[in-house]
Amino acid sequence: MSPTPTRSRPASNVRPSADLPDATLVGWLRMMTLIREFENRSAQAYQQAKIGGFCHLYTGQEAVAVGTLGALEPDDPVVHAYRDHGHALARGMDPKHCMAEMFGKITGCAKGKGGSMHMFDKPHWFFGGHGIVGAQTPLGVGLAFAAKYELEVLGTALSNPGVDPGAPAKKKVALAFLGDGALNQGALHEAMNLAGLWSLPCIFIVENNGYSMGTSIHRGTTMADDLLKKADAYGIRGEVIDGLDILRLYDAFKPLADWCRAEQKPAFVDLKTYRYLGHSMSDPQKYRTKDEVDRYKSMDSIERLAKHLMEERRCLTPAALDEMHAELHRIVMEALEFAESSPSPDPATELYSDVLVNPMPGMSPIREYVHGEKNPLL
Amino acid sequence: MPRSEMMIEKGLTLVDAINEALYQEMERDDRVVILGEDVGLNGGVFRVTDGLQKRFGPDRVVDTPLAESGIMGTAIGLAMAGMRPVPEIQFEGFLGPAFDQLVNHAARYRTRSRGAITVPMTVRVPVGGGIHAPELHSDSPEAIYAHQPGLKVVMPSTPYDAKGLLTSAIRDPDPVIFFEPKRVYRSFREHIPEEEYTIPIGQAKVVSEGSDITMISWGATVFQCLEALDQLPEDVSVELIDLRTIDPIDEDAICQSAEKTGRVVIVHEAPKTCGLGAELATIIQERCFLHLEAPVQRVCGFDTVMPYYKLELEYLPDAARIVEALQQVAAY
């Protein structure tokens, strides 16, 4: 029998998180709490009909975005699906731009055009939330391809925000986040095959919250208890990682990400997490029990990290935590106020802008298109 | 690549011209990469990319698995990161699996991100019938993609136009679908400049000037129109326009001609209903209503799936059908 080197290995005793300074861990707690507060206020704003379209909240899964992105370099490219507010914030997007985008206001990260599912922040190497399940994963492969091409063919970095012209290329990894529902989409399997075939540094992170909309993973995919077999099929190394404890998550993910970067190879992560709220804001949640939700809430990742910082690291006092909560509350309320008071896009200038560049006179259908105001995040 | 003796002596085919444009753009800009099914070792199913992998290596001319969604998505990701990918989709029917990536991603990023994320990608696709292939290998879906805002759609009919338009497409900052009419891939040769040149996307071309009837076509059907002009018994002066770019439409060019002649015939391979001819006829009646002397006529494929080769020529617009339409419009 041939060995299967792609399988997950037993957890080692290496604890990279133990070497991180207190400030980093407090920063994680702060970001996770910011996301939680941001999502709570988003839910309210949605119920008040201030946010249009759809709204998929990240509550419960915060450790995943913060822990994985915390293990990356700031210029590693990232793509995600539509539950994307947390990732945008964790990547560094200003909560004001994020909230204003959901409100459809001109001050949003995409000038109120993309909405909740389509957060973009190129300066922070966040290449978008995406509304089609699984369809973002080949884009992650392309971003990884470009990174490897820079490194091995061009030698210099491609022109991008914050990149000095002619800067030497460096070893990068691309992150393609997906939900467990995307496991059953064809695009993912094409993407994993290409990443495996071409040995591209793309990490497929399955945020496995157990449900694809209202269908539990056992009703939706084969080998639901051993998803790494799917990665095995494409020769991609896989790991199962606990997403409810950010320290364990980081300790498992950081070495994997470092390995992908060093070896320039793909990886697949079955990242076990749980969402506290419905799939979207309109979800009767008949597919699970309140007991189940409560059981996961009792293992809340934010409370767990706060307890660790106060009782084990002893780098956070209850008073400092209260102060942090008050500050984050203020930041989110300011974001709401900013979104609320920002103007809507002017149809005269924005309706037909940014469809194509180079508007040409006398030609249909782009005759009336104009090039929009410069995007604040361009 | 240096031109062969045949090319020097007799000119370039459409395939030669596209190959030359790809070669020159890859020489000029090392961000240009080609990816597709059998584009490398085999040089593509129609040999359009022949010799490019040998010259530029497997990192820049990439053989992919049969996975159109993966190819298109990867190309979009490359373009988002600042590359200039030129994916090849083997036949127009195989755009189906890549439709989601093209229409739901590539076409929309500039708008969705308000200009922050763009997709400078050129998708090369052989298109149309006339080579005895079955459906999915003989279709003309240009109107489907022209309907989607955010995509540009190009379809040259001659080697000269193909080279200039492909060069423009690769340098274009937005996604361009570059349809290559396979019926004329090798049907004739043309002497074209060896040095690089561009033809602006969005400009139609007057193939032959005339004063009585405007005839608009594009792709391989342009040559059926020329054949019809040869066969037309009446002494009628027809102005033939090759649209060259499907989207954006060169409204000024077609309306100037329609205003001059007052009579218009549109010829395309795609099925009639909701084909591009419907859009052109509407533009003409919107802008030139008082100049029109006759209803705009359409000579199209039929509203059916492209038939297998025994019936292929029944389906495709031919000179006889075009002549009939020209006579009807002239006599109205």
Side-chain angles (χ1 to χ4, degrees), chain B residues 208 215 224-233 238 240 323 326:
Chain B
S208 62
M215 181 153 60
Q224 271 61 57
C225 294
L226 285 167
E227 202 182 319
L229 294 185
D230 284 343
Q231 293 178 13
L232 193 64
V238 178
L240 176 59
V323 165
L326 288 170

Side-chain angles (χ1 to χ4, degrees), chain A residues 110-111 113 118 122 127 130 135 139 142 149 154 158 160 190 194 198 350 353-354 356-357 362-365 375 378, chain B residues 30 60 65 67 69-70 74 81 83 100-101 105 109-116 173-174 202 247-249 251-252:
Chain A
K111 294 168 77 179
K113 187 76 169 195
H118 299 125
K122 198 169 181 186
F127 287 86
H130 299 270
L139 274 52
Y149 190 88
L154 296 178
L158 290 158
N160 273 301
E190 296 190 19
L194 292 176
W198 294 335
E350 293 300 327
S353 68
D354 294 312
L356 296 164
V357 296
M363 288 173 196
S364 172
N375 188 303
L378 189 65
Chain B
D30 51 15
R60 296 192 63 196
S69 174
T74 300
M83 297 278 287
D100 176 45
Q101 295 292 342
H105 287 166
Y109 279 151
R110 181 179 291 282
T111 311
R112 191 178 279 160
S113 72
R114 280 296 184 193
D174 285 307
D247 181 14
I249 297 165
E251 283 194 20
D252 286 354

Side-chain angles (χ1 to χ4, degrees), chain B residues 60-75:
Chain B
R60 296 192 63 196
V61 183
V62 184
D63 279 319
T64 68
L66 311 186
E68 289 80 9
S69 174
I71 295 167
M72 197 65 72
T74 300

